[in-house]
């Protein structure tokens, strides 16, 4: 039945009033609940985990000069959420292309000295818009991103910047001024060219001459040898250095010993595995002989003397090389770290006055006959002694002095970097003739390496003072704390194994470099007080550097500590894990960088290094590494090859280990960044990326460009981000594809530490 408005029944006024009062009560309760809810929500927001509430947020830009330089390494193509379908197929070195063009390994120096492009950008600050010129943060002129250098190159470039920085009055210590003066005279290529061979010939006369020029004073063999070892860091017949015994290190000892090893020969040596004998490569003997003649020509020696003296030099060199052996053979025959007293060594190899020579090398330390030394090829040492004795008898009457000539040639090779460039070019030509295809080392790099040899303590202190302050120590603590958490979550095969490894990690103390880096400016000045450098004479400055190197060896033997700050990988010394200050350089770390960048790059590299230090014990005693790596590998195959594969190709043990290390390092570094963010819930960013965007992009970029373990990975490191983000809600955007079907499990190969 259809009713019209007129026909509809009229409501009861009393009933309407009753319902109106009930409705008002309901509305009042609802409003009260809403207000209460907003208050509670506001309170929860204020007290919420800052990581959960901010990590996906847009971050304010970092405006420091260091950040402008760092932003050259990043673009949207490095962002895993810009092209999620192709991201895990991105091949290192292709700048985001999904076409796999093969791996690109960074070797030697990185070509990072590219031009800088400027552009106008609007930056909103406090509601105001201002125009600012800044670096182009995306690409070079050829459309390619600036690559991260390898870690050693980054360290050497940082040292170069320190040595080239203008002196700042009283703030520059006297020791640092000397290092800069040394570097400046080294970079002056014209000074040695003007002097020619004169500096070496003057030194040669001071040493008593040599038989080649008929002006030899018949100096004593062991006296000359001790002088070359002590004052000129030249070791013609055997090498000498200081180091610890690995067997004792495992027991927690950090004692250092004098170590004696084979010398470095100028020509390649062939090893016959059947006869287990060595010999000089015959195809290189003629170039070796020719280079000898060229050196003598540069020294003004008549060509009539070349045949005899170069022939004897080559004959003695090849005879000594017969008893050398490759490291793998010496290791298999237990020839390494042979412990013997100096007195017993004298009995076995009497041609060398061992006590006198070692006293000269480590003066002013009191070296005695009863001191233990470690020998790494005793058969070579005895063969060398016998050869010297025979040659002394055979050539003493003839006056040809081949042993003395051999020592002078060794000194010449030590001093070539400080001589006329023609000497270096002769050495370079011989290296090319022996098959050396490496590019010539640029002069700046040679000068940095030389300065580092003499001023390592000073440079380590300078890097720490400029680059690695409180932020570096916090990063180390966070990464190691996260690493220990990761290890506690592993499924160990038995309680004994887990207890041993977990107790070991708890007992180890990670710290930044060594005690020598805590020297004051006054102490550093005292350390280099006896160094007197010339403004123009690089040859005399080079001799001063060799004396500094001798003092460094003596300090290491005396104190048992060394300035390993200029290393690039962590090491274990007793109960300490030494994190070298040389790791904390741009573009991997800077105190003004966003922490997402510092933790994503250097944090992940340190995590990988620490895991590799502990890997042998972890991988053999825990179940997780193998299962996690195979889970990741299976998922990679399902994504790239399709889910219908019948079987999963196995990975080699080394690749299984590396997959687990790389993925664990990503987890550890992210957890460490989370710890830092919880303490300081504010950070900046680059290229407009959020905190998590920048962290993940940094990890992928540094693993592609500067990770020495990258070659052991069966896939590109970008895929690890895919695995990490497989948990819904973890990353800012889900890694899903448009027009492509992908099936990610909700939780894939994921550790508990990130939940």
């Amino acid at each position: 039945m259809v009713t019209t408005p007129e026909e509809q029944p009229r409501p009861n006024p009393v009933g309407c009033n009753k319902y109106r009062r009930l409705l008002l009560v309901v509305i009042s309760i609802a409003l009260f609940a809403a207000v209460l809810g907003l208050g509670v929500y506001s309170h929860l927001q204020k007290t919420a985990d800052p990581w959960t509430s901010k990590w996906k947020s847009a971050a304010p830009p970092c405006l420091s000069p260091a950040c402008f330089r760092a932003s050259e390494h990043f673009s949207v193509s490095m962002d895993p959420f810009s092209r999620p379908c192709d991201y895990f197929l991105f091949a290192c070195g292709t700048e985001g292309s999904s076409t796999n063009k093969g791996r690109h390994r960074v070797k030697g120096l990185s070509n990072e000295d590219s031009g800088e492009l400027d552009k106008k950008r609007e930056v909103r600050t406090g509601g105001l818009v201002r125009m600012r010129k800044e670096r182009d943060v995306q690409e070079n002129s050829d459309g390619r991103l600036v690559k991260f250098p390898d870690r050693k190159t980054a360290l050497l470039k940082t040292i170069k910047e320190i040595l080239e920085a203008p002196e700042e009055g009283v703030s520059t210590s006297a020791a640092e001024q000397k290092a800069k003066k040394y570097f400046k005279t080294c970079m002056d290529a014209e000074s040695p060219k003007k002097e020619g061979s004169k500096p070496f010939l003057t030194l040669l006369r001071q040493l008593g001459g040599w038989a080649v020029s008929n002006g030899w004073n018949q100096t004593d063999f062991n006296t000359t040898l001790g002088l070359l070892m002590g004052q000129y860091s030249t070791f013609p017949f055997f090498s000498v250095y200081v180091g610890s015994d690995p067997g004792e290190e495992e027991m927690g000892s950090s004692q250092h010993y004098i170590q004696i090893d084979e010398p470095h020969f100028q020509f390649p040596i062939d090893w016959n595995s059947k006869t287990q004998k060595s010999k000089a490569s015959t195809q290189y003997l003629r170039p070796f002989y020719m280079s000898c003649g060229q050196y003598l020509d540069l020294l003004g020696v008549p060509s009539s003397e070349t045949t005899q003296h170069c022939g004897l030099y080559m004959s003695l060199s090849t005879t000594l090389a017969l008893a050398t052996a490759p490291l793998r053979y010496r290791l298999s025959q237990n020839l390494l770290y042979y412990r013997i007293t100096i007195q017993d060594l004298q009995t076995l190899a009497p041609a060398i006055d061992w006590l006198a020579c070692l006293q000269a090398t480590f003066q002013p330390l009191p070296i005695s006959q009863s001191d233990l030394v470690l020998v790494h090829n005793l058969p070579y040492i005895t063969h060398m002694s016998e050869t010297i004795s025979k040659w002394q008898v055979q050539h003493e009457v003839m006056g040809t002095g081949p042993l003395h000539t051999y020592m002078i040639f060794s000194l010449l090779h030590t001093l070539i970097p400080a001589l006329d460039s023609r000497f270096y070019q002769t050495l370079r030509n011989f290296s090319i003739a022996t098959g050396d295809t490496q590019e010539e080392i640029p002069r700046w790099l040679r000068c940095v390496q030389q300065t580092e040899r003499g001023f390592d303590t000073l440079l380590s202190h300078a890097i720490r003072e400029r680059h690695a302050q409180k932020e570096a120590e916090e990063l180390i603590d966070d990464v190691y704390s996260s690493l220990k958490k990761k290890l506690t979550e592993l499924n160990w095969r038995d309680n004994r194994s887990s207890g041993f490894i977990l107790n070991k990690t708890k007992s180890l103390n990670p710290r930044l470099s060594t005690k020598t880096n805590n020297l004051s400016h006054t102490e550093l000045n005292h350390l280099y007080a006896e160094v007197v450098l010339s403004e123009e004479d690089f040859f005399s400055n080079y001799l001063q550097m060799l004396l500094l190197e001798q003092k460094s060896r003596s300090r290491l033997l005396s104190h048992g500590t060394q300035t390993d700050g200029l290393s690039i990988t962590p090491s274990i010394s007793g109960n300490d894990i030494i994190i070298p200050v040389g790791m904390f350089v741009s573009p991997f770390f800077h105190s003004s960088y966003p922490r997402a960048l510092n933790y994503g790059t250097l944090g992940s590299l340190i995590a990988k290094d620490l895991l590799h230090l502990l890997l042998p014990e972890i991988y053999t005693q825990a179940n997780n590494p193998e299962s996690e790596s195979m889970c990741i590998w299976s998922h990679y195959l399902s994504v790239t090859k399709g889910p219908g594969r019948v079987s999963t190709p196995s990975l080699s043990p080394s690749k299984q280990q590396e997959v687990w290390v790389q993925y664990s390092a990503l987890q550890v570094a992210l957890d460490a960044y989370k710890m830092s963010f919880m303490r300081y819930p504010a950070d900046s960013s680059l290229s407009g990326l959020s905190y998590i965007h920048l962290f993940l992009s940094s990890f992928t970029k540094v693993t592609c460009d500067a990770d020495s373990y990258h070659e052991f990975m069966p896939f590109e490191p970008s895929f690890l981000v895919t695995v990490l983000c497989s948990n819904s809600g973890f990353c800012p955007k889900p890694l899903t594809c448009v027009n492509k079907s992908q099936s990610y499990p909700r939780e894939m190969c994921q550790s508990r530490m990130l939940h």
Side-chain angles (χ1 to χ4, degrees):
M1 182 179 73
V2 179
T3 59
T4 64
E6 291 81 4
E7 296 173 329
Q8 291 180 3
R10 305 185 67 176
N12 187 335
V14 177
C16 286
N17 291 335
K18 178 180 177 182
Y19 285 118
R20 287 194 187 98
R21 286 195 297 270
L22 181 60
L23 180 61
L24 286 174
V25 171
V26 171
I27 291 174
S28 299
I29 294 174
L31 288 173
F32 176 76
V35 172
L36 181 62
L38 287 172
V40 172
Y41 177 76
S42 176
H43 175 73
L44 289 175
Q45 284 292 98
K46 293 178 181 179
T47 59
D49 179 353
W51 173 254
T52 304
S53 59
K54 290 186 177 181
W55 67 326
K56 303 176 187 178
S57 306
C62 175
L63 305 179
S64 73
C67 284
F68 294 157
R69 292 191 295 270
S71 60
E72 290 184 338
H73 299 281
F74 296 93
S75 77
V76 73
S77 66
M78 294 302 301
D79 179 4
F81 306 99
S82 61
R83 295 163 62 184
C85 291
D86 296 331
Y87 185 72
F88 61 83
L89 296 178
F90 150 57
C92 293
T94 60
E95 276 68 63
S97 170
S98 62
T99 304
N100 195 331
K101 300 177 182 178
R103 296 189 182 278
H104 179 87
R105 291 178 58 197
V106 180
K107 291 184 178 180
L109 281 175
S110 300
N111 185 16
E112 194 184 7
D113 300 321
S114 56
E116 299 179 4
L117 301 175
D118 292 327
K119 70 176 182 179
K120 300 279 186 179
R121 169 173 291 187
E122 289 187 355
V123 180
R124 298 185 179 272
T125 305
L128 300 177
V129 179
R130 61 186 178 89
M131 297 299 294
R132 176 169 57 85
K133 287 181 68 70
E134 69 176 43
R135 216 178 269 266
D136 177 7
V137 301
Q138 296 298 332
E139 300 174 339
N140 290 322
S141 57
D142 62 355
R144 295 174 62 85
L145 287 175
V146 176
K147 297 185 69 64
F148 272 24
D150 62 86
R151 287 196 262 181
K152 188 63 177 180
T153 299
L155 173 59
L156 292 171
K157 286 191 172 184
T158 298
I159 295 175
K160 178 175 179 282
E161 291 175 0
I162 292 173
L163 295 173
E164 289 180 335
E167 297 181 3
E168 300 175 356
V170 294
S171 63
T172 303
S173 66
E176 186 170 328
Q177 290 175 4
K178 292 177 180 179
K180 291 182 175 181
K181 182 183 291 185
Y182 179 88
F183 180 75
K184 182 179 179 181
T185 57
C186 178
M187 290 294 291
D188 181 11
E190 295 300 319
S191 178
K193 187 180 296 184
K194 293 177 183 177
E195 295 294 328
S197 60
K198 181 180 177 181
F200 183 78
L201 293 174
T202 301
L203 177 62
L204 188 55
R205 285 193 294 270
Q206 295 172 0
L207 294 173
W210 63 340
V212 175
S213 58
N214 298 318
W216 183 32
N217 294 338
Q218 299 285 333
T219 50
D220 176 70
F221 170 78
N222 274 294
T223 300
T224 303
L225 179 60
L227 189 64
L228 296 185
M229 292 172 63
Q231 294 190 24
Y232 302 102
S233 289
T234 298
F235 305 93
F237 301 102
F238 51 88
S239 62
V240 177
Y241 53 92
V242 177
S244 57
D245 185 341
E248 290 187 354
E249 278 190 336
E250 293 179 358
M251 304 298 293
S253 172
S254 58
Q255 182 176 351
H256 285 66
Y257 297 91
I258 297 173
Q259 311 211 18
I260 299 172
D261 205 344
E262 302 172 355
H264 170 71
F265 289 93
Q266 299 299 324
F267 47 79
I269 299 174
D270 292 334
W271 171 255
N272 190 321
S273 57
K274 293 182 178 179
T275 62
Q276 296 184 344
K277 297 291 184 181
S278 292
K279 69 172 184 177
S281 299
T282 54
Q283 60 179 320
Y284 302 125
L285 292 183
R286 179 173 176 78
F288 179 71
Y289 177 85
M290 296 295 292
S291 67
C292 172
Q294 291 167 0
Y295 288 132
L296 293 182
D297 181 58
L298 291 173
L299 293 171
V301 176
S303 57
S304 59
E305 300 290 333
T306 299
T307 301
Q308 180 185 32
H309 291 287
C310 285
L312 289 172
Y313 175 53
M314 185 172 68
S315 178
L316 178 56
S317 299
T318 55
T319 301
L320 290 171
L322 291 175
T324 61
L327 182 61
R328 63 181 182 277
Y329 174 79
R330 288 186 280 162
L331 185 62
S332 68
Q333 299 299 310
N334 296 320
L335 294 175
L336 303 179
Y337 300 100
Y338 181 80
R339 302 167 74 91
I340 188 173
T341 64
I342 296 176
Q343 184 175 8
D344 291 340
L345 184 61
Q346 187 67 54
T347 302
L348 294 175
I352 305 296
D353 188 343
W354 292 100
L355 182 61
C357 287
L358 293 177
Q359 284 176 337
T361 304
F362 295 99
Q363 58 183 318
L365 299 182
I367 307 298
S368 66
Q369 295 274 17
S370 60
D371 286 350
L372 283 172
V373 296
L374 304 181
V375 179
H376 297 294
N377 189 352
L378 188 59
Y380 167 81
I381 298 298
T382 57
H383 168 79
M384 174 267 300
S385 176
E386 293 169 358
T387 301
I388 290 173
S389 298
K390 289 178 182 178
W391 280 63
Q392 284 175 327
V393 172
Q394 292 173 0
H395 296 274
E396 183 177 2
V397 178
M398 299 171 59
T400 51
L403 294 171
H404 186 77
T405 299
Y406 184 89
M407 290 191 288
I408 297 302
F409 266 119
S410 296
L411 177 63
L412 175 64
H413 278 92
T414 299
L415 299 178
I416 279 178
L419 294 174
D420 181 352
S421 60
R422 291 176 296 171
F423 287 91
Y424 178 78
Q425 192 57 50
T426 301
L427 177 64
R428 174 68 182 157
N429 291 340
F430 175 68
S431 297
I432 294 174
T434 58
D436 184 0
T437 58
Q438 293 184 354
E439 295 183 3
E440 183 176 350
I441 301 175
R443 187 173 187 86
W444 75 263
L445 179 55
R446 283 185 277 148
C447 290
V448 166
Q449 291 172 333
Q450 291 174 25
T451 311
E452 180 187 343
R453 286 172 61 187
F455 294 91
D456 55 344
T457 301
L458 170 72
L459 293 173
S460 181
H461 179 274
I463 291 175
R464 177 166 186 163
E465 197 172 53
R466 287 167 170 78
H467 297 271
Q469 296 289 337
K470 177 184 176 184
E471 294 84 1
E473 294 175 347
E474 288 183 348
L475 184 145
I476 292 172
D477 291 340
D478 288 340
V479 169
Y480 197 66
S481 296
S482 179
L483 176 65
K484 289 190 291 185
K485 185 198 301 185
K486 170 72 177 177
L487 296 182
T488 59
E489 294 177 355
L490 294 182
N491 180 18
W492 299 96
R493 294 177 181 172
D494 57 67
N495 292 332
R496 181 179 178 183
S497 300
S498 64
F500 172 77
I501 297 174
L502 295 179
N503 289 334
K504 179 179 180 179
T505 55
K506 289 179 182 178
S507 65
L508 291 173
N509 175 43
R511 58 185 178 88
L512 190 61
S513 287
T514 61
K515 296 178 181 178
T516 53
N517 289 315
N518 295 324
L519 296 175
S520 66
H521 283 198
T522 302
E523 292 170 319
L524 284 170
N525 290 338
H526 178 72
L527 189 63
Y528 296 97
E530 298 179 6
V531 179
V532 180
L533 297 178
S534 167
E535 293 285 350
E536 298 179 353
D537 186 2
F538 177 60
F539 185 83
S540 66
N541 290 350
Y542 189 81
L543 297 182
Q544 289 282 304
M545 185 276 295
L546 295 178
L547 288 175
L548 285 173
E549 196 174 40
Q550 183 274 327
K551 291 181 179 180
S552 179
R553 275 194 300 270
S554 298
R555 263 197 319 273
L556 177 56
L557 182 63
S558 174
H559 302 298
T561 58
Q562 62 181 346
T563 307
D564 51 8
L566 298 181
S567 174
I568 54 171
T569 53
S571 59
I572 296 178
S573 177
N575 290 325
D576 292 324
I577 299 179
I578 307 300
I579 311 293
V581 71
M583 297 180 71
F584 290 82
V585 296
S586 299
F588 307 113
F589 180 90
H590 196 276
S591 58
S592 70
Y593 279 174
R595 279 172 290 136
L597 177 56
N598 282 334
Y599 281 74
T601 52
L602 188 56
S604 63
L605 289 176
I606 291 178
K608 293 172 192 177
D609 289 336
L610 294 178
L611 285 166
H612 277 285
L613 276 177
L614 303 170
L615 184 61
E617 295 165 339
I618 296 174
Y619 204 82
T620 56
Q621 301 299 329
N623 296 317
N624 306 63
E626 182 177 359
S627 60
E628 286 186 12
S629 62
M630 290 310 298
C631 174
I632 296 169
W633 176 237
S634 298
H635 180 65
Y636 177 76
L637 292 177
S638 70
V639 171
T640 56
K641 306 296 183 182
R645 295 184 62 91
V646 177
S647 61
T648 300
S650 61
L651 286 177
S652 65
S654 61
K655 290 185 177 181
Q656 282 187 26
Q657 292 178 13
E658 196 55 40
V659 168
W660 181 78
V661 167
Q662 294 277 349
Y663 187 51
S664 297
L666 173 58
Q667 294 174 319
V668 167
L670 180 56
D671 188 60
Y673 177 50
K674 179 179 177 180
M675 292 181 189
S676 175
F677 202 91
M678 294 287 285
R679 287 196 307 271
Y680 313 110
D683 198 3
S684 57
S685 189
L686 300 179
S687 304
L689 300 177
S690 67
Y691 303 120
I692 190 63
H693 274 194
L694 180 58
F695 176 89
L696 296 175
S697 298
S698 301
F699 168 81
T700 302
K701 180 67 175 171
V702 76
T703 305
C704 275
D705 292 352
D707 185 6
S708 57
Y709 302 107
H710 175 217
E711 61 181 295
F712 299 107
M713 287 289 285
F715 47 74
E716 300 298 351
S718 52
F719 183 70
L720 296 175
V721 176
T722 303
V723 179
L724 188 76
C725 294
S726 63
N727 290 317
S728 60
F730 176 74
C731 290
K733 301 176 185 177
L735 284 175
T736 56
C737 299
V738 179
N739 299 327
K740 286 190 180 181
S741 60
Q742 286 184 329
S743 176
Y744 293 122
R746 286 184 65 85
E747 293 191 3
M748 176 180 60
C749 317
Q750 187 69 17
S751 168
R752 290 175 295 169
M753 69 184 303
L754 295 176
H755 289 287

